[in-house]
């Protein structure tokens, strides 16, 4: 089923990021965000009715929150997007939400490929929670953190983000250095999939990018590094420890 259409929203500034536990772990509880003086307005968007009903049922029980009907989503202080996985349709919704400066967006997701992390952050998402961990307390923590201008990421995703940012910084300081920063995280992920024998459509499905994006990324790699084709790019990356 299609995601509901929605008004748009964005992330302001550079929020602090709280790390939640990695999947399957039992992390120490994070300090609860301060409870706002007024109820936090929340709009919920979901890929299907079952997902929506489950999240709405849990949030409706909390007196700190006000769940908004579809006709009033424009005034939501926070927006929760609840999906199975990040695909082009989800990205389109996140981009629409990003255009509304009055709301901050969080993502509750079933499966999350590492390549999708940069995409959702670029779309203004500042908080991510896996659906397997989305009990009432964590959902409340997520919404209050969004309302307070904070960010929330599972610990493993926060680690990937810091690694990616570090790579970008190294690349900016020494763009000619032959290191992991020669490839972005997205480029490295795609080349790994090429090395495993996947074709363009299979890579697109795995990474949640369109086939056109996959082709463009791989073309950019071969052009920038002056390589002949995908096979040459994979060989180059393997020889130099880039994947």
């Amino acid at each position: 089923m299609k995601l509901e259409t929605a008004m748009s929203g964005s992330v302001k500034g550079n929020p602090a990021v709280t790390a939640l536990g990695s999947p399957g772990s039992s992390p120490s509880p994070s300090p609860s965000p301060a409870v706002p003086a007024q109820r936090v307005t929340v709009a919920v968007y979901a890929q299907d009715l079952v997902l929506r009903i489950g999240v709405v049922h849990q949030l409706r029980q909390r007196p700190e929150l006000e769940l908004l009907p579809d006709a009033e989503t424009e005034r939501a202080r926070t927006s929760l997007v609840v999906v199975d996985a990040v695909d082009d349709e989800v990205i389109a919704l996140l981009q629409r939400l990003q255009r509304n400066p009055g709301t901050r967006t969080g993502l509750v997701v079933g499966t999350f490929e590492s390549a999708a992390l940069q995409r959702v952050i670029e779309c203004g998402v500042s908080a991510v929670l896996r659906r397997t961990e989305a009990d009432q307390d964590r959902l409340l923590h997520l919404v209050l953190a969004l309302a307070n201008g904070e960010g929330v990421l599972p610990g493993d995703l926060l680690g990937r983000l810091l690694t990616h940012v570090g790579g970008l910084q190294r690349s900016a300081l020494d763009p000619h250095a032959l290191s992991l920063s020669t490839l972005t995280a997205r480029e490295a992920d795609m080349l790994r999939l090429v090395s495993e024998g996947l074709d363009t459509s299979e890579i697109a499905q795995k990474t949640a990018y369109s086939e056109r994006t996959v082709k463009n990324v791989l073309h950019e790699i071969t052009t920038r590094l002056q390589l002949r084709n995908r096979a040459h790019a994979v060989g180059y990356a393997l020889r130099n420890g880039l994947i």
Side-chain angles (χ1 to χ4, degrees), residues 39-101:
R39 298 172 73 195
V40 176
T41 50
V42 185
V44 177
Y45 306 84
Q47 280 184 313
D48 61 53
L49 185 60
V50 173
L51 292 179
R52 179 184 174 87
I53 289 174
V55 171
V56 168
H57 174 72
Q58 295 197 67
L59 295 180
R60 197 182 298 279
Q61 302 176 47
R62 305 302 304 224
E64 305 95 328
L65 308 179
E66 178 189 354
L67 273 293
L68 297 178
D70 292 345
E72 299 181 28
T73 55
E74 183 179 7
R75 69 181 183 90
R77 185 173 171 186
T78 61
S79 296
L80 281 187
V81 177
V82 188
V83 297
D84 288 318
V86 176
D87 56 20
D88 288 339
E89 186 179 7
V90 173
I91 293 297
L93 172 59
L94 294 176
Q95 289 171 338
R96 289 199 298 274
L97 291 172
Q98 188 179 20
R99 291 192 289 270
N100 179 357

Side-chain angles (χ1 to χ4, degrees), residues 103-117:
T103 190
R104 302 186 73 244
T105 304
L107 179 69
V108 181
V109 62
T111 58
F112 197 75
E113 299 285 345
S114 59
L117 180 58

Side-chain angles (χ1 to χ4, degrees), residues 3 6 9 36 52 68 83 97 105 109 126 141 148 151 156 191 209:
L3 283 162
R52 179 184 174 87
L68 297 178
V83 297
L97 291 172
T105 304
V109 62
S126 59
H141 180 276
N148 291 335
D156 61 315
L191 275 186
Y209 287 98

Side-chain angles (χ1 to χ4, degrees), residues 108-220:
V108 181
V109 62
T111 58
F112 197 75
E113 299 285 345
S114 59
L117 180 58
Q118 182 177 348
R119 294 189 78 190
V120 300
I121 289 176
E122 289 171 351
C123 291
V125 171
S126 59
V128 177
L129 180 64
R130 288 188 172 87
R131 274 174 39 206
T132 54
E133 302 172 345
D135 58 24
Q136 186 180 118
D137 288 339
R138 285 179 181 248
L139 284 170
L140 176 64
H141 180 276
L142 189 78
V143 172
L144 294 182
L146 286 170
N148 291 335
E150 301 170 5
V152 180
L153 286 176
D156 61 315
L157 294 184
L158 178 56
R160 293 179 200 173
L161 177 61
L162 293 174
T163 298
H164 177 63
V165 170
L168 293 178
Q169 290 174 335
R170 291 192 299 273
S171 180
L173 290 171
D174 188 2
H176 301 295
L178 186 60
S179 67
L180 285 174
S181 60
T182 304
L183 298 177
T184 67
R186 178 171 69 171
E187 290 170 342
D189 284 340
M190 288 190 184
L191 275 186
R192 287 190 192 95
L193 295 174
V194 172
S195 72
E196 294 171 7
L198 276 65
D199 61 22
T200 299
S201 62
E202 291 169 327
I203 294 172
Q205 185 176 7
K206 279 273 191 181
T207 59
Y209 287 98
S210 66
E211 291 187 28
R212 180 177 180 179
T213 298
V214 172
K215 291 177 182 177
N216 288 342
V217 169
L218 294 174
H219 177 72
E220 165 64 20

